[in-house]
Amino acid sequence: MAIKFGRPIEMRDAPRRQTTLAANPLDLAIRPRRNRKAEWARRLVRENMLTTDDLIWPLFVVDGHNARTPVASMPGVDRLTVDQAVRDAERAAKLNIPCIALFPYTEPSLRDETGSEALNPNNLVCQSVRAIKKEFPEIGVLCDVALDPFTSHGHDGLIEDGKILNDETVAVLVQQALVQAEAGCDVIAPSDMMDGRVGAIREALDEAGYLDVQIMAYAAKYASAFYGPFRDAIGSAKTLTGDKRTYQMDSANSDEALREVELDIAEGADMVMVKPGMPYLDVVRRVKETFSMPTFVYQVSGEYAMIAAAAGNGWLDGDRAMMESLLGFKRAGADGILTYFAPKAAERLRNGE
Ligand SMILES: NCc1[nH]cc(CCC(=O)O)c1CC(=O)O
Ligand SMILES: [Mg+2]
């Protein structure tokens, strides 16, 4: 038999057997299955790859000492006291995860109409940034900018007569970003979807001398049902009145996502993000192709919860579903992924799985 496959090493690895011909073989010149016949062949033609460098790990922080409290709707995810957040930062550093993201559970007594705790230079987020940066200065720390963890009504902005105010909110977000930059945050990530906040924050950061602090804009963020477990985790699920559809995007739209992203880039965003992830892969693709910017995607709490819950019930192979979903983001064109699976995925990647 003629050698069709070239290099002899392939013969050693996978000796070919004479195939018994079917009674009526199809006359096919092209058989796509040839490239899938063995693991080495699949590896050779593989188009996309997930690496640990693609991962950002979101952590929830809570007041207290030496405690980890499970988030019921996110099996495997805990709220961490600051000392424990430092331990998870260490885990991230050891796994070579480039960046972590911080979200606070604010005590209800500290929440008010205007979210004033967001501007407390000693709030949980700022304490965590300082503690983590002190022990692990080499790991990137990203901080969300939005008021929802701090407001009594659970909205991302200031409210007047039931309306979310844009420009007044932006003025507060600018102060919040400065407080976080002062604490040592590396990446400011405005997640509020107010108009004009990226430009205002960039200008204020530059004026204050934080020229190197990056901005990752939640540029195309949709009003989504998939944020449910996150709102449990930060304790805004019960207090949130109404929905966020006057500022977060309508899930029916993707041209609008391009206009949003374009504005944030023009205002100075260093990186842009699409959120949620799995139901919006088309948006990730369009954004990446249109702007060639570092493009991130957030696999949000509800996406995590779906996979974790189904895996917990034995309905699907959780690890495989996790890796498949993350690879899907890469295939769509994402440069990086915020995901609660980050440490688990990094462990698998480290073990060559
Ligand atoms: N603005 C706050 C914020 N930042 C990240 C998320 C969601 C993250 C997740 O679901 O994992 C939200 C929730 C929201 O907008 O209501
Ligand atoms: Mg916008």
Side-chain angles (χ1 to χ4, degrees):
M1 209 183 185
I3 295 173
K4 288 183 189 157
F5 297 100
R7 298 176 295 163
I9 187 163
E10 291 155 13
M11 295 295 287
R12 279 209 306 276
D13 275 359
R16 248 179 312 133
R17 266 181 241 105
Q18 183 79 48
T19 316
T20 334
L21 290 181
N24 296 303
L26 296 173
D27 183 18
L28 296 180
I30 298 164
R31 289 181 181 265
R33 286 187 54 192
R34 283 190 195 111
N35 284 343
R36 304 177 203 135
K37 67 182 177 179
E39 181 57 14
W40 68 261
R42 292 189 290 271
R43 280 170 53 210
L44 202 58
V45 298
R46 191 158 286 154
E47 300 170 38
N48 292 286
M49 199 168 75
L50 176 74
T51 78
T52 305
D53 295 343
D54 300 321
L55 302 172
I56 299 178
W57 183 14
L59 301 176
F60 297 109
V61 290
V62 65
D63 197 22
H65 187 69
N66 195 24
R68 309 176 73 102
T69 340
V71 178
S73 52
M74 300 179 75
V77 173
D78 297 327
R79 289 192 202 108
L80 314 166
T81 52
V82 173
D83 53 295
Q84 291 303 303
V86 175
R87 299 283 58 88
D88 276 16
E90 176 174 27
R91 186 176 171 206
K94 283 191 173 145
L95 284 167
N96 212 21
I97 293 173
C99 186
I100 57 176
L102 298 174
F103 297 94
Y105 172 92
T106 308
E107 290 307 317
S109 63
L110 294 175
R111 299 182 196 219
D112 59 24
E113 274 282 306
T114 60
S116 57
E117 177 67 6
L119 307 187
N120 173 1
N122 207 29
N123 67 21
L124 267 175
V125 169
C126 294
Q127 281 181 43
S128 308
V129 177
R130 273 190 228 103
I132 289 166
K133 276 291 173 185
K134 189 165 161 230
E135 282 202 47
F136 304 101
E138 71 283 5
I139 194 160
V141 176
L142 176 152
C143 291
D144 216 64
V145 167
L147 298 181
D148 57 315
F150 309 99
T151 52
S152 43
H153 44 72
H155 278 288
D156 296 35
L158 304 175
I159 307 190
E160 198 176 88
D161 300 329
K163 236 185 115 182
I164 307 296
L165 305 174
N166 192 85
D167 300 13
E168 293 82 345
T169 298
V170 169
V172 181
L173 297 174
V174 164
Q175 297 310 312
Q176 182 184 14
L178 287 172
V179 161
Q180 293 173 344
E182 172 63 31
C185 169
D186 299 294
V187 185
I188 294 291
S191 72
D192 53 282
M193 287 300 279
M194 298 302 126
D195 297 332
R197 89 285 205 215
V198 170
I201 290 171
R202 181 73 269 159
E203 194 184 325
L205 288 173
D206 289 353
E207 247 167 49
Y210 298 114
L211 300 177
D212 289 340
V213 171
Q214 290 151 283
I215 296 180
M216 181 187 290
Y218 287 70
K221 174 172 175 179
Y222 289 85
S224 171
F226 290 97
Y227 306 150
F230 174 95
R231 292 176 191 169
D232 271 350
I234 65 157
S236 71
K238 287 200 194 78
T239 50
L240 181 64
T241 44
D243 57 54
K244 302 191 176 184
R245 285 185 285 184
T246 68
Y247 46 107
Q248 299 179 350
M249 284 178 55
D250 186 332
S251 26
N253 301 346
S254 72
D255 287 346
E256 185 186 358
L258 299 187
R259 298 197 297 273
E260 281 280 10
V261 169
E262 186 172 22
L263 283 169
D264 284 359
I265 295 169
E267 289 177 27
D270 301 286
M271 300 172 272
V272 294
M273 191 208 297
V274 173
K275 177 186 172 188
M278 280 146 59
Y280 298 89
L281 292 179
D282 58 317
V283 179
V284 175
R285 163 61 59 194
R286 288 191 75 186
V287 166
K288 183 64 191 178
E289 282 191 344
T290 307
F291 301 105
S292 304
M293 281 287 284
T295 302
F296 290 76
V297 61
Y298 201 141
Q299 182 177 48
V300 300
S301 56
E303 302 175 63
Y304 173 88
M306 287 194 299
I307 294 174
N313 277 310
W315 294 339
L316 48 74
D317 179 332
D319 277 17
R320 285 188 57 199
M322 164 182 82
M323 297 308 271
E324 187 176 331
S325 66
L326 296 174
L327 190 57
F329 295 125
K330 295 293 292 179
R331 204 181 57 246
D335 295 293
I337 307 146
L338 291 93
T339 176
Y340 303 95
F341 286 123
K344 239 181 144 193
E347 271 162 16
R348 280 188 71 100
L349 291 165
R350 183 191 54 193
N351 300 338
E353 292 167 300

Short mmCIF file of all heavy atoms in Angstrom, two decimals, residues 10-34:
data_model
loop_
_atom_site.label_atom_id
_atom_site.label_comp_id
_atom_site.label_asym_id
_atom_site.label_seq_id
_atom_site.Cartn_x
_atom_site.Cartn_y
_atom_site.Cartn_z
N GLU A 10 4.20 8.77 12.02
CA GLU A 10 2.77 8.54 12.15
C GLU A 10 2.46 7.05 12.03
O GLU A 10 1.54 6.55 12.66
CB GLU A 10 2.01 9.32 11.07
CG GLU A 10 2.07 10.82 11.35
CD GLU A 10 1.90 11.64 10.09
OE1 GLU A 10 1.49 11.09 9.06
OE2 GLU A 10 2.19 12.85 10.15
N MET A 11 3.26 6.36 11.23
CA MET A 11 3.06 4.92 11.09
C MET A 11 3.37 4.24 12.42
O MET A 11 2.69 3.35 12.85
CB MET A 11 3.99 4.37 10.01
CG MET A 11 3.67 4.89 8.63
SD MET A 11 2.05 4.34 8.08
CE MET A 11 2.41 2.61 7.74
N ARG A 12 4.45 4.74 13.09
CA ARG A 12 4.81 4.12 14.37
C ARG A 12 3.74 4.37 15.41
O ARG A 12 3.37 3.48 16.15
CB ARG A 12 6.15 4.70 14.86
CG ARG A 12 7.35 4.07 14.22
CD ARG A 12 8.55 4.10 15.15
NE ARG A 12 8.85 5.43 15.63
CZ ARG A 12 9.58 6.33 14.96
NH1 ARG A 12 10.09 6.02 13.79
NH2 ARG A 12 9.81 7.52 15.48
N ASP A 13 3.24 5.62 15.43
CA ASP A 13 2.26 5.97 16.45
C ASP A 13 0.93 5.26 16.25
O ASP A 13 0.32 4.80 17.19
CB ASP A 13 1.98 7.48 16.43
CG ASP A 13 3.02 8.20 17.26
OD1 ASP A 13 3.90 7.52 17.84
OD2 ASP A 13 2.96 9.42 17.34
N ALA A 14 0.51 5.21 15.02
CA ALA A 14 -0.82 4.64 14.77
C ALA A 14 -0.75 3.76 13.53
O ALA A 14 -1.02 4.20 12.43
CB ALA A 14 -1.84 5.76 14.56
N PRO A 15 -0.32 2.54 13.74
CA PRO A 15 -0.19 1.67 12.56
C PRO A 15 -1.54 1.54 11.85
O PRO A 15 -2.56 1.38 12.50
CB PRO A 15 0.26 0.33 13.15
CG PRO A 15 0.09 0.42 14.63
CD PRO A 15 -0.02 1.87 15.00
N ARG A 16 -1.46 1.71 10.54
CA ARG A 16 -2.71 1.65 9.80
C ARG A 16 -3.11 0.22 9.54
O ARG A 16 -2.28 -0.61 9.19
CB ARG A 16 -2.54 2.38 8.47
CG ARG A 16 -3.35 3.65 8.40
CD ARG A 16 -3.11 4.34 7.07
NE ARG A 16 -1.69 4.45 6.75
CZ ARG A 16 -1.20 4.12 5.56
NH1 ARG A 16 -1.99 3.70 4.60
NH2 ARG A 16 0.09 4.25 5.32
N ARG A 17 -4.35 -0.04 9.70
CA ARG A 17 -4.86 -1.37 9.37
C ARG A 17 -5.53 -1.29 8.00
O ARG A 17 -6.07 -0.25 7.63
CB ARG A 17 -5.87 -1.82 10.42
CG ARG A 17 -5.24 -2.65 11.50
CD ARG A 17 -6.28 -3.10 12.52
NE ARG A 17 -5.96 -2.57 13.84
CZ ARG A 17 -6.60 -1.56 14.41
NH1 ARG A 17 -7.58 -0.94 13.79
NH2 ARG A 17 -6.26 -1.14 15.61
N GLN A 18 -5.45 -2.38 7.31
CA GLN A 18 -6.17 -2.46 6.04
C GLN A 18 -7.67 -2.38 6.36
O GLN A 18 -8.18 -3.14 7.17
CB GLN A 18 -5.87 -3.81 5.37
CG GLN A 18 -6.50 -4.00 4.02
CD GLN A 18 -5.69 -3.26 2.94
OE1 GLN A 18 -4.47 -3.39 2.88
NE2 GLN A 18 -6.38 -2.49 2.11
N THR A 19 -8.33 -1.38 5.75
CA THR A 19 -9.76 -1.27 6.03
C THR A 19 -10.53 -2.21 5.10
O THR A 19 -10.28 -2.24 3.90
CB THR A 19 -10.23 0.18 5.77
OG1 THR A 19 -9.27 1.05 6.32
CG2 THR A 19 -11.60 0.44 6.37
N THR A 20 -11.40 -2.94 5.71
CA THR A 20 -12.26 -3.78 4.87
C THR A 20 -13.24 -2.86 4.16
O THR A 20 -13.90 -2.04 4.80
CB THR A 20 -13.05 -4.79 5.74
OG1 THR A 20 -12.32 -5.01 6.93
CG2 THR A 20 -13.31 -6.07 5.00
N LEU A 21 -13.28 -2.97 2.86
CA LEU A 21 -14.17 -2.06 2.12
C LEU A 21 -15.62 -2.45 2.33
O LEU A 21 -15.97 -3.63 2.40
CB LEU A 21 -13.83 -2.14 0.63
CG LEU A 21 -12.49 -1.51 0.24
CD1 LEU A 21 -12.30 -1.63 -1.27
CD2 LEU A 21 -12.38 -0.07 0.67
N ALA A 22 -16.42 -1.38 2.48
CA ALA A 22 -17.86 -1.63 2.59
C ALA A 22 -18.36 -2.19 1.26
O ALA A 22 -17.69 -2.06 0.24
CB ALA A 22 -18.59 -0.33 2.92
N ALA A 23 -19.48 -2.81 1.30
CA ALA A 23 -20.03 -3.43 0.11
C ALA A 23 -20.14 -2.43 -1.05
O ALA A 23 -19.70 -2.68 -2.16
CB ALA A 23 -21.39 -4.03 0.42
N ASN A 24 -20.68 -1.26 -0.74
CA ASN A 24 -20.80 -0.22 -1.76
C ASN A 24 -20.14 1.06 -1.29
O ASN A 24 -20.82 1.97 -0.84
CB ASN A 24 -22.27 0.07 -2.07
CG ASN A 24 -22.95 -1.15 -2.67
OD1 ASN A 24 -22.50 -1.67 -3.70
ND2 ASN A 24 -23.99 -1.61 -2.02
N PRO A 25 -18.78 1.16 -1.33
CA PRO A 25 -18.12 2.36 -0.79
C PRO A 25 -18.55 3.60 -1.55
O PRO A 25 -18.72 3.56 -2.78
CB PRO A 25 -16.63 2.08 -0.99
CG PRO A 25 -16.55 0.99 -1.99
CD PRO A 25 -17.83 0.23 -1.96
N LEU A 26 -18.75 4.69 -0.83
CA LEU A 26 -19.08 5.96 -1.49
C LEU A 26 -17.85 6.44 -2.25
O LEU A 26 -16.72 6.24 -1.80
CB LEU A 26 -19.47 7.00 -0.44
CG LEU A 26 -20.74 6.69 0.37
CD1 LEU A 26 -20.90 7.74 1.48
CD2 LEU A 26 -21.96 6.69 -0.54
N ASP A 27 -18.07 7.05 -3.36
CA ASP A 27 -16.97 7.56 -4.16
C ASP A 27 -16.64 8.98 -3.71
O ASP A 27 -17.06 9.96 -4.33
CB ASP A 27 -17.38 7.51 -5.64
CG ASP A 27 -16.23 7.96 -6.54
OD1 ASP A 27 -15.07 7.95 -6.06
OD2 ASP A 27 -16.50 8.32 -7.70
N LEU A 28 -15.92 9.08 -2.59
CA LEU A 28 -15.65 10.40 -2.01
C LEU A 28 -14.18 10.73 -2.11
O LEU A 28 -13.33 10.03 -1.55
CB LEU A 28 -16.05 10.43 -0.53
CG LEU A 28 -17.53 10.23 -0.18
CD1 LEU A 28 -17.69 10.30 1.33
CD2 LEU A 28 -18.38 11.29 -0.86
N ALA A 29 -13.85 11.81 -2.80
CA ALA A 29 -12.46 12.27 -2.81
C ALA A 29 -12.15 12.97 -1.49
O ALA A 29 -11.03 12.93 -0.99
CB ALA A 29 -12.24 13.23 -3.98
N ILE A 30 -13.15 13.62 -0.93
CA ILE A 30 -12.95 14.41 0.28
C ILE A 30 -13.66 13.74 1.45
O ILE A 30 -14.89 13.56 1.42
CB ILE A 30 -13.48 15.84 0.08
CG1 ILE A 30 -12.68 16.51 -1.05
CG2 ILE A 30 -13.37 16.66 1.36
CD1 ILE A 30 -13.31 17.76 -1.60
N ARG A 31 -12.87 13.36 2.43
CA ARG A 31 -13.44 12.76 3.63
C ARG A 31 -12.91 13.54 4.84
O ARG A 31 -11.81 13.26 5.33
CB ARG A 31 -13.04 11.29 3.73
CG ARG A 31 -13.72 10.39 2.70
CD ARG A 31 -13.29 8.93 2.88
NE ARG A 31 -13.92 8.07 1.87
CZ ARG A 31 -15.05 7.39 2.07
NH1 ARG A 31 -15.66 7.46 3.25
NH2 ARG A 31 -15.56 6.65 1.12
N PRO A 32 -13.68 14.54 5.31
CA PRO A 32 -13.22 15.37 6.44
C PRO A 32 -12.83 14.58 7.67
O PRO A 32 -12.04 15.03 8.48
CB PRO A 32 -14.43 16.28 6.72
CG PRO A 32 -15.19 16.32 5.43
CD PRO A 32 -14.99 14.98 4.80
N ARG A 33 -13.36 13.39 7.82
CA ARG A 33 -13.05 12.58 9.00
C ARG A 33 -11.58 12.17 9.07
O ARG A 33 -11.08 11.81 10.12
CB ARG A 33 -13.95 11.35 9.05
CG ARG A 33 -15.39 11.68 9.44
CD ARG A 33 -16.19 10.42 9.65
NE ARG A 33 -15.56 9.51 10.59
CZ ARG A 33 -15.94 8.25 10.76
NH1 ARG A 33 -16.92 7.76 10.05
NH2 ARG A 33 -15.32 7.49 11.62
N ARG A 34 -10.87 12.19 7.91
CA ARG A 34 -9.46 11.79 7.92
C ARG A 34 -8.67 12.62 8.93
O ARG A 34 -7.81 12.10 9.63
CB ARG A 34 -8.85 11.97 6.54
CG ARG A 34 -9.23 10.92 5.56
CD ARG A 34 -8.37 11.02 4.29
NE ARG A 34 -9.00 10.23 3.25
CZ ARG A 34 -9.59 10.73 2.17
NH1 ARG A 34 -9.57 12.03 1.94
NH2 ARG A 34 -10.16 9.94 1.31
#
